[in-house]
Amino acid sequence: MHDAGAAGALGDLSRFREEFYRCLTARADALFELSDAVLCSGGPVTSLVELSLTAEHRRGHGALYDGVNQGRIDIGRFRNVVARQSIPRGDDGRITLAVDVSHWLRPDANISPERLFCHTYARGKGHAQMIPGWPYSFVVALEPGRTSWTAILDAQRLGPDDEDTAIAAAQLRTVVEGLIAAGHWREGDPQIWIVGDTGYDGPRLAFLLADLPVTVLVRLRSDRVMAFPAPPRAAGTLGRPQRHGPEFAFTDPRSWPEPDQATTTETSRYGTAVARSWDRLHPRLTHRGVWADHEGDVPVMEGTVIRLQVEHLPGDGAPKPLWLWYSGIDADATTTDQLWRMFLRRFDLEHTFRFLKQTLGWTRPRLRDPQAADRWTWLIIAAYTQLRLARHLVEDLRRPWERAPARPGRLTPARVRRGFRNIRPATSSPASAPKPTRPGPGRPPGSRNTHRAVVCHVGKNPKTDTRATNATNQTG
C-alpha cells in the first residue's frame, strides 16, 4: 500500500511538471530548467546567476537571464493546473483560503516602474518604515493543525491604480471558480472560508463575493464601532426608516450586551482562551471611499463579531484581545470555536513567505521590469507546488544538529527541498537538451549607451472623487 501511494504521488508530480512545461509559451526550456535549479541547488538561493552553475541547469547564464526577461508563461492556464492539484481541507471537509500581501522591496531601483511604498517593520518596538517595492497579493489554502505548509493558488502584483480589497476579491473569485471547475467544491459541501487580516475590508469583500459559496472572516482594529440591527419601526412613525441600532464600541465594555455565544478552551500555546461572540452586527457604511460610486443606499452587511482573549503569548508581550468579524450569522458555539482557531492558522502563511524569500530566493533577483518579476514569482510558485507534491516521496536527510527524524509526511518545505534532487531523475523532464551556439558580439568596444533609463515615480496614482468633481463642475 505504501508503494502504491508513492507511485501515485510520483505520477501526480510528473504530470504537474509536464503540464507546467506546456504553460511555458516562450523560452520554455530555459524557464523549466531554472525552476529545477531552484529546487536542486545545494543551499538557499542567494543570486540568480549562481543557479546557472547547478547541474540541472544545462544552459549558460545568458539563457537564464533571457528566459526571465523574455520568456512567457500562460498564467491563466497554469492557475488552472495548480487548482487541479490536491487541496488541503479541514476535519469537516471544508476548504479555507487565506489572502495576504508580501513585499518585494526594491528601494534602490529608481528606474523600475510601478513601485509602491511598502509598510515594513523595523528593529525595535513601534518602529516601521515605508520602503519602495512591489507588493504581491497571495491566495493560499490552509491546512488543519500546526504546520508550515500551505497550498499557493494565486499571486498578483499590486499596481499604482489597484485597491487591495478589490484585487483580493477578483483573485478570490478566480480561485473559487477554478476550485469549483476542478471538482474540489460541489453543491452541498460546506461553504469555503476566506481569512484575512486587518488590511482588508471584510464587509466589502463579503459584498463583492456574495454570489459565491464563501464566507469571510477578517480581523478588525480594536477601536472599531459597530451597530446592532435597527429596532422595529413603530406604527404611524413618519420619516425615513432607521438603518442602525445601538452602537457596539470595542473600547467601551458598557456597550456590550450579554454575548450570544461564549467558549473557554485550554490550549498548550496560549493558556486559557476565552471567546465571546455577538450576532448581527454591522459597520456604518456611507458613500465615501470605495463606496462613493455605489448606486442607491449602501448595504447593511450583518455578521458576527468575535472577541478572543488568551492568557499569555509565546513571547514576552502582554496579550491583547483579538477582534474578528465573520460574514455569517447565527453562529453556534462550535462554529465560534472553529473560527478563531482557523484564523490562527492564517499565520502559517508567514512561514510560506519566509521560505519563499529566505530559501527559494523569491526577492533575491534585482530585476528591472515588473513583468519579469511576475514571471519569476510564478516560477517560484511552480517550484513550491512541486515540493508540496513531493512531501511524501523524499527521505529525510537530517543534519546531525537537527531534531529527531520527522514522521513520514511531516517534513518541512526546506527538508523536502533537501531531498528533491534524489527523486528528480524519477520524474518527467520535458525540457530538451541545449543546442551548441556561440555568444553574440555584444556592444562594440568604446560605444556608449544612448538609451538611458527613465527614473520612475513611486507610489499610488491619485484618484479623484467623481461625485465631488461633478458637484464642483455644476456649481462652477
Side-chain angles (χ1 to χ4, degrees), residues 34-52 54 64 354-365 376 380 383 417:
L34 178 57
S35 66
D36 275 358
V38 172
L39 290 169
C40 299
S41 60
V45 177
T46 58
S47 173
L48 186 61
V49 69
E50 291 287 340
L51 294 175
S52 63
T54 60
L64 182 146
R354 186 180 298 110
F355 177 73
L356 296 184
K357 293 181 178 180
Q358 297 182 358
T359 304
L360 299 186
W362 170 43
T363 58
R364 286 291 184 176
W376 172 252
I380 294 297
R417 177 176 177 263

Side-chain angles (χ1 to χ4, degrees), residues 164-207:
D164 293 4
T165 302
I167 293 298
Q171 280 185 278
L172 290 167
R173 177 175 295 277
T174 302
V175 169
V176 172
E177 291 176 350
L179 294 178
I180 295 175
H184 292 297
W185 189 92
R186 295 180 176 88
E187 194 69 31
D189 291 347
Q191 285 196 323
I192 300 174
W193 281 352
I194 295 175
V195 182
D197 209 350
T198 53
Y200 295 96
D201 188 346
R204 179 165 176 80
L205 200 60
F207 175 79

Side-chain angles (χ1 to χ4, degrees), residues 201 203 220-226 248-251 283-285:
D201 188 346
L220 300 176
R221 298 194 317 267
S222 58
D223 59 350
R224 291 291 298 269
V225 177
M226 309 289 277
F248 183 94
F250 291 0
T251 57
R284 293 174 176 265
L285 303 178

Side-chain angles (χ1 to χ4, degrees), residues 189-468:
D189 291 347
Q191 285 196 323
I192 300 174
W193 281 352
I194 295 175
V195 182
D197 209 350
T198 53
Y200 295 96
D201 188 346
R204 179 165 176 80
L205 200 60
F207 175 79
L208 295 175
L209 302 176
D211 58 326
L212 296 177
V214 300
T215 50
V216 178
L217 176 67
V218 297
R219 181 167 66 169
L220 300 176
R221 298 194 317 267
S222 58
D223 59 350
R224 291 291 298 269
V225 177
M226 309 289 277
F228 285 99
R233 184 178 175 86
T237 304
L238 302 179
R240 186 173 182 176
Q242 188 176 355
R243 290 171 54 86
H244 311 291
E247 289 187 346
F248 183 94
F250 291 0
T251 57
D252 186 8
R254 295 173 298 179
S255 64
W256 307 349
E258 287 296 321
D260 296 300
Q261 302 293 338
T263 62
T264 302
T265 307
E266 295 295 333
T267 65
S268 59
R269 187 173 180 83
Y270 305 103
T272 304
V274 178
R276 293 185 289 174
S277 65
W278 292 265
D279 197 23
R280 309 186 75 87
L281 282 167
H282 65 272
R284 293 174 176 265
L285 303 178
T286 59
H287 285 95
R288 296 179 181 178
V290 295
W291 299 96
D293 297 330
H294 183 79
E295 297 181 0
D297 294 335
V298 293
V300 176
M301 304 298 298
E302 291 186 344
T304 302
V305 171
I306 302 173
R307 183 183 186 271
L308 175 65
Q309 181 68 58
V310 298
E311 184 178 359
H312 58 80
L313 297 176
D316 298 331
K320 297 180 180 180
L322 182 69
W323 293 92
L324 304 175
W325 184 85
Y326 173 61
S327 62
I329 57 175
D330 300 330
D332 55 14
T334 302
T335 303
T336 301
D337 189 64
Q338 290 178 343
L339 287 171
W340 69 260
R341 287 177 179 273
M342 186 52 65
F343 181 82
L344 296 183
R345 294 270 61 81
R346 189 199 69 83
F347 293 97
D348 295 340
L349 185 54
E350 302 298 333
H351 296 285
T352 301
F353 289 155
R354 186 180 298 110
F355 177 73
L356 296 184
K357 293 181 178 180
Q358 297 182 358
T359 304
L360 299 186
W362 170 43
T363 58
R364 286 291 184 176
R366 298 184 179 183
L367 303 176
R368 175 189 299 186
D369 188 9
Q371 282 70 36
D374 297 343
R375 203 169 297 120
W376 172 252
T377 300
W378 279 101
L379 284 180
I380 294 297
I381 294 176
Y384 183 84
T385 305
Q386 293 182 62
L387 292 178
R388 189 168 64 87
L389 296 175
R391 58 194 293 188
H392 299 283
L393 297 173
V394 301
E395 296 182 0
D396 186 15
L397 303 179
R398 186 175 65 91
R399 300 290 190 263
W401 52 86
E402 293 177 342
R403 294 182 179 179
R407 299 192 306 270
R410 296 294 298 176
L411 295 178
T412 63
R415 295 171 84 160
V416 172
R417 177 176 177 263
R418 190 182 300 165
F420 188 86
R421 172 174 281 179
N422 296 333
I423 67 170
R424 177 184 172 274
T427 64
S428 61
S429 297
S432 60
K435 299 179 181 179
T437 183
R438 295 181 179 179
R443 184 183 301 170
S447 63
R448 294 184 178 182
N449 183 14
T450 59
H451 302 282
R452 299 187 64 84
V454 179
V455 176
C456 300
H457 173 73
V458 182
K460 289 279 189 179
N461 292 334
K463 295 183 179 180
T464 58
D465 191 340
T466 56
R467 297 193 176 194

